């Protein structure tokens, strides 16, 4: 699959999806592993990581579940996709150096009536200069994510604000529910991922993005790349 455009032109890029059969194999793999009650394993306590939970247990505790990194790396098809030329070539073109994968994770989100945390428009800051890339792989249907094209670049973001008459031009506005709602109203926000399970998309997560609400539990695999290891390499594990 030839890239439709450079990754940094809009801040996201679709790549060849997994097949339904490949998704089914990945789902079967995770069905045999115990989930953990949180968004990332490294942010849980040793006690939380020592217990055997079910997805129902995780849903009862909070809106997230995840898997140990070893379970993600041993899953069929995921690592092959994350290390494929169609993924690494545009990442290399953006970074300007050989990319290093520093994080591999998979997480569930469960339906809730309110939006908090990663479901509110925000910018990830794994590096100070924004030079890192995420690969998201949808493992359930309609696992959607909002993304504001061009918002990874401060100058483009200022131009977007001016073009659409948005009064809040603070590039660093982060996880504010009121601003999140105004972004969705004022800007041509796109939904990436979504559609059939298997959809794969590269994003520049320094751009504004958020998990879109879903009426059903959704499962997403998530890989990250930079020029070298970041703080997340230690924290997320």
């Amino acid at each position: 699959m030839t890239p439709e455009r450079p990754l940094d032109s809009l801040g996201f890029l679709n790549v060849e999806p997994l097949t339904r059969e490949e998704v089914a194999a990945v789902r079967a793999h995770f069905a045999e592993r115990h989930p953990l009650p949180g968004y990332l394993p490294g942010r849980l306590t040793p006690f939380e990581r020592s217990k055997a939970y079910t997805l129902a247990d995780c849903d009862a505790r909070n809106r997230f579940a995840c898997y140990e990194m070893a379970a993600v790396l041993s899953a069929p098809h995921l690592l092959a996709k994350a290390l494929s030329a169609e993924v690494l070539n545009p990442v290399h073109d953006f970074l300007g150096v050989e990319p290093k994968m520093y994080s591999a994770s998979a997480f569930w989100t469960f339906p809730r009536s309110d939006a908090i945390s990663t479901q509110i428009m925000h910018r990830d800051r794994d590096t100070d200069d924004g030079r890192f890339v995420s690969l998201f792989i949808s493992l359930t249907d309609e696992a959607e994510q909002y993304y504001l094209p061009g918002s990874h670049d401060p100058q483009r973001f200022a131009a977007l604000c001016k073009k659409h008459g948005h009064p809040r031009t603070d590039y660093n506005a982060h996880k504010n529910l009121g601003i999140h709602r105004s972004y969705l109203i004022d800007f041509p926000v796109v939904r990436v991922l979504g559609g059939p399970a298997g959809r794969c998309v590269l994003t520049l997560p320094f751009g504004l993005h958020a998990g879109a609400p879903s009426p059903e539990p959704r499962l997403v695999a998530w890989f990250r790349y930079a020029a070298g290891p970041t703080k997340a390499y230690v924290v997320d594990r």
Side-chain angles (χ1 to χ4, degrees):
M1 184 178 184
T2 303
E4 55 200 286
R5 60 180 177 275
L7 176 56
D8 68 347
S9 63
L10 294 178
F12 73 96
L13 183 67
N14 292 308
V15 297
E16 190 72 28
L18 297 182
T19 66
R20 298 295 278 189
E21 293 74 20
E22 289 170 336
V23 170
V26 176
R27 291 286 302 273
H29 170 84
F30 284 126
E32 296 177 352
R33 272 73 183 171
H34 288 294
L36 298 171
Y39 184 53
L40 288 163
R43 302 184 186 186
L44 299 172
T45 67
F47 176 74
E48 288 173 316
R49 295 178 70 165
S50 69
K51 294 186 63 178
Y53 295 91
T54 65
L55 287 176
D57 295 333
C58 297
D59 188 5
R61 286 174 59 97
N62 59 48
R63 67 185 69 215
F64 298 111
C66 63
Y67 295 95
E68 293 284 5
M69 186 181 291
V72 179
L73 294 176
S74 63
H77 309 299
L78 292 184
L79 188 59
K81 172 61 71 174
L83 296 179
S84 66
E86 64 181 318
V87 169
L88 294 184
N89 286 346
V91 175
H92 178 281
D93 291 345
F94 171 71
L95 295 176
V97 298
E98 195 70 26
K100 304 294 190 298
M101 181 193 297
Y102 62 88
S103 182
S105 56
F107 62 90
W108 289 90
T109 59
F110 303 110
R112 295 291 190 273
S113 59
D114 59 334
I116 65 168
S117 185
T118 57
Q119 295 171 329
I120 299 174
M121 285 288 200
H122 62 283
R123 303 179 188 277
D124 292 341
R125 301 184 181 277
D126 292 15
T127 65
D128 293 335
D129 60 3
R131 307 294 290 179
F132 62 104
V133 182
S134 288
L135 169 67
F136 288 97
I137 303 175
S138 174
L139 298 172
T140 52
D141 291 336
E142 305 302 330
E144 294 186 326
Q145 178 188 165
Y146 295 124
Y147 193 88
L148 179 55
S151 61
H152 62 288
D153 183 302
Q155 292 182 330
R156 294 189 210 180
F157 180 64
L160 280 169
C161 291
K162 182 177 180 180
K163 177 179 178 180
H164 296 283
H166 196 279
R168 297 181 183 271
T169 58
D170 180 6
Y171 185 77
N172 295 310
H174 181 72
K175 292 188 179 179
N176 178 295
L177 188 57
I179 295 177
H180 167 83
R181 289 170 175 156
S182 68
Y183 285 150
L184 297 183
I185 293 171
D186 294 345
F187 288 131
V189 173
V190 299
R191 291 184 178 219
V192 295
L193 294 182
R199 185 92 178 267
C200 301
V201 63
L202 289 165
T203 71
L204 301 182
F206 205 61
L208 287 164
H209 64 286
S214 172
E216 301 292 335
R218 61 177 192 157
L219 176 62
V220 176
W222 178 29
F223 297 87
R224 286 179 284 173
Y225 313 82
T230 71
K231 182 173 67 174
Y233 173 74
V234 176
V235 174
D236 294 354
R237 293 186 299 168

